[in-house]
Amino acid sequence: MRRPALLLLLLPLCLAGCHLQPPGERHKTEIEVAVFEGGYGISWHKSIARAYERLHPGIHVNLWGDPRVDEKLKPRILRSDPPDAANSSLPFWKLIVANKLYPLDAALDSPAYGAKGTWRSTLVPGVLADSQYEGKTYAIPSNLSAWVCWYDQRMFDAHGWSVPQTWGQFMRLCAQIKAAHIAPLAFQGKYPYYAWATLLSLYQRIVPWRNYYAMQDAQPGAFLDPGFVRAATMMQQMALNYYEPGALAMTHTESQMEWCNGRAAMVFCGLWLENEMKNAIPKGFRMACFKVPPVTGGLGDPNAVYAGGGEDFVVFREAKHPRLAADFLKFMVSRQSSKSYITQLDTLSPVIGAADGLKLSSALSSAVTVLGHADHLFSDRLSGLYLDWNRNVVSDALGDLVSGHVTPLRFAQRLEAGMQAVRANPDIYKPPARGVPWQHK
């Protein structure tokens, strides 16, 4: 008796198209947005979806999240049934070359939400560089991070130390700190890959952009560039003279704890450091940061910062509503939406001035200052493209470099040999060379 009764109850719904959507939703245009549900969760994204619906009553945003969103997206992409937009770790360049992604330039060059100028003009310069190919842009970051040197302003004030403006001043500061019987630098030595961003920052300070991006394009011989060998030499000198004793055996949290406890004065790390160590940072600690200092006489841009967007979103070319999805992303990465992003998730947005007027921690305020003075952002795409090279060649070679077990030249030769093996392997996907990204702007 219960089953027929249930069928009778469901019958009107089935006659209406077996659709459980509320009556008011039936005639709305739906855009589907899939989000990787990681450390930032999806509560903020859902709040933005509801705000977009209030602004556009005829649109429903079906936004969902999953820690394994990649696994759910792959079969849908293969059968040409992707969601409209997504944030995932799918192979970005493969999707571009396969013509699966929708270019976002029309949206980027349209008026921004809640600000003067175009959407593109509201974004931090350089933040789109890693997602551009043949003059078109295929992804939008919703997050902004940077690689900087962290210190305790309270300790610096107590000793009369100043933030260094050049690499030479930085090395003299390290000598002063060591003379005060404090380790100048903590280092996450059990994971030597933490040295990679500092090394690339030094390389960028020494050479012009064409050299830096020749390496990012994996051009033959790029790692044998004398500028790269010089950067490796500077990195090794810093490590051998100023890393905390025992640092090479420490995990990231162990070494960062040494910094929190004042046994080391500085540490290179990303913007996630404050959140990662929030339970260990003592009361009165005034966390601040500075960029990797310029190298005197270097040919690189002294105002550039190793930083970039993260939590990228893409729109699929085969989506049902790619233009609307791009517009939703424009709303999501707008100045107004980014303010709640910063305050709710305690991180930064790629929108210029998004943090203005907000109450930030000393650490986040310092990072905003660093990024506010940057004229270009740059980063590394090799480690994401060639995972085995990164895991098996770069990490081991960095460990030998900072421990003094290999010369800087031999270090560079090992990286070049490893990359040559990548070049020669037809089974490893290699994206087209892109040159200096912002020449396409």
Side-chain angles (χ1 to χ4, degrees), residues 33-38 64-79 81-83 85-92 95 311-314 316 384 387:
V33 181
V35 182
F36 169 68
E37 193 167 7
W64 56 271
D66 194 294
R68 297 183 175 181
V69 67
D70 290 1
E71 296 176 14
K72 293 191 173 182
L73 292 181
K74 285 177 184 175
R76 292 187 57 180
I77 294 171
L78 289 174
R79 61 174 186 261
D81 179 34
N87 154 236
S88 73
S89 300
L90 292 172
F92 178 72
L95 292 173
E311 307 294 321
D312 289 354
F313 279 79
V314 300
F316 291 96
L387 298 177

Side-chain angles (χ1 to χ4, degrees), residues 326-402:
D327 190 71
F328 172 70
L329 296 186
K330 182 169 73 169
F331 179 76
M332 185 178 74
V333 189
S334 66
R335 188 163 299 171
Q336 180 179 357
S337 300
S338 293
K339 289 186 180 302
S340 61
Y341 182 78
I342 293 169
T343 54
Q344 291 181 26
L345 302 181
D346 201 22
T347 186
L348 291 181
S349 159
V351 177
I352 297 171
D356 292 352
L358 300 180
K359 187 177 181 180
L360 304 176
S361 67
S362 67
L364 211 52
S365 295
S366 183
V368 168
T369 300
V370 168
L371 289 167
H373 288 90
D375 53 12
H376 275 114
L377 307 183
F378 66 98
S379 59
D380 169 55
R381 67 170 182 167
L382 297 176
S383 53
L385 283 169
Y386 310 122
L387 298 177
D388 289 340
W389 173 79
N390 180 53
R391 188 182 305 116
N392 301 324
V393 178
V394 177
S395 189
D396 289 349
L398 279 171
D400 287 344
L401 177 72
V402 298

Side-chain angles (χ1 to χ4, degrees), residues 10 13 59 66 70 85 121 167 169 190 201 204 258 262 269 271 274 284 298 303 354 358 375 378 393 415 419 426:
L10 291 176
L13 292 174
I59 296 176
D66 194 294
D70 290 1
S121 71
W167 187 256
Q169 291 181 11
K190 201 162 185 177
S201 295
Q204 181 278 322
E258 291 291 290
C269 196
L271 299 192
E274 182 183 28
N303 298 315
L358 300 180
D375 53 12
F378 66 98
V393 178
L415 266 56
M419 184 54 71

